[in-house]
Amino acid sequence: MIKSKLNVLTLRKEPLPAVIFHEPEAIELCSTTPLTKPRLQAGCKVTYLGKVSATGVQFSSGCTEQPVIELWKKHTLAREDVFPSNAILEIRPFQVRLHHQDIKGEATVRMDTFQVARIAYCTADHNVSPNIFAWVYREINDDLTYQMDCHAVECESKLEAKKLAHAMMVAFKKTFNSMKSDGRIHKDSSSEETAQGFESDDG
């Protein structure tokens, strides 16, 4: 009789573990709902001035001065007051990203990407404004021809422009070293000239 009572008690206790294990599963499902807003991408707030064709094959100090003057004139004529930052420039190894933002500056509406290996020159040294950072980019067309374009952005300060020039130089060195170690660039005189040919005037 005692044995039968123990069996009854055991049967009554068996469902309890099932109840205990179901509760945490319900909590786990609820915790997957995002409670925070997505983080904004890292980068420098800038005003994109646009792009113009850059002439020449060899690019050195002063090559972006005339294109930047042209872009700056168009920009100043178009704005009625101080133009707010409308983009975020993000420089990383292999790729530079220009996030065009909405009017409120809260969301990216379009993104332009630039391959670091195609950037021939960059500088933050311009007479028209010390806050301007510019770079010369080799754009590949659909018919496999290419053109050199000068892109420019206005930073919030001269220091920010200098930081972008330095960041671009670091990104290029990392990209070049990685491509060389992967065998995509052969270690010869031409590759060394490519590394030296990229200039960054960061003061």
Side-chain angles (χ1 to χ4, degrees):
M1 187 176 216
I2 295 174
K3 187 175 180 180
S4 61
K5 286 184 178 180
L6 287 175
N7 288 336
V8 172
L9 291 174
T10 303
L11 291 173
R12 290 178 180 176
K13 289 182 178 180
E14 282 179 356
L16 291 179
V19 176
I20 294 173
F21 282 112
H22 274 75
E23 292 181 0
E25 289 179 4
I27 296 172
E28 183 68 22
L29 290 173
C30 294
S31 64
T32 58
T33 305
L35 299 177
T36 57
K37 294 182 179 179
R39 294 185 304 172
L40 296 175
Q41 60 271 13
C44 179
K45 288 185 178 181
V46 297
T47 299
Y48 183 58
L49 303 181
K51 69 175 182 178
V52 292
S53 297
T55 58
V57 179
Q58 297 293 330
F59 298 96
S60 58
S61 181
C63 68
T64 60
E65 193 66 39
Q66 193 58 41
V68 165
I69 290 175
E70 183 180 343
L71 290 171
W72 182 252
K73 285 182 178 179
K74 291 179 180 179
H75 176 67
T76 52
L77 290 174
R79 66 181 184 182
E80 299 178 356
D81 201 349
V82 178
F83 206 85
S85 300
N86 62 0
I88 292 179
L89 186 63
E90 181 186 5
I91 299 176
R92 57 174 62 187
F94 294 102
Q95 195 176 79
V96 175
R97 297 176 180 178
L98 183 63
H99 304 265
H100 299 274
Q101 297 188 304
D102 57 13
I103 299 176
K104 296 181 179 180
E106 296 178 351
T108 298
V109 294
R110 192 177 83 255
M111 183 179 71
D112 295 331
T113 58
F114 305 90
Q115 303 302 317
V116 172
R118 294 185 189 174
I119 296 175
Y121 182 85
C122 76
T123 179
D125 185 18
H126 297 96
N127 294 327
V128 67
S129 173
N131 296 358
I132 293 179
F133 172 68
W135 65 96
V136 177
Y137 186 71
R138 182 165 58 93
E139 187 70 45
I140 306 296
N141 300 319
D142 294 337
D143 58 357
L144 300 182
T145 60
Y146 72 90
Q147 64 187 48
M148 306 301 289
D149 293 327
C150 178
H151 297 258
V153 295
E154 182 187 11
C155 304
E156 295 180 346
S157 66
K158 176 181 178 179
L159 179 60
E160 290 296 321
K162 294 289 185 183
K163 286 181 178 180
L164 287 178
H166 180 72
M168 189 76 82
M169 179 184 65
V170 172
F172 178 83
K173 287 182 178 179
K174 289 182 178 180
T175 301
F176 178 79
N177 291 334
S178 178
M179 293 176 68
K180 187 167 64 174
S181 63
D182 292 344
R184 283 179 284 176
I185 296 179
H186 297 290
K187 190 175 182 181
D188 53 18
S189 58
S190 61
S191 64
E192 295 300 328
E193 289 174 0
T194 303
Q196 294 174 3
F198 179 87
E199 293 190 36
S200 173
D201 294 340
D202 57 359

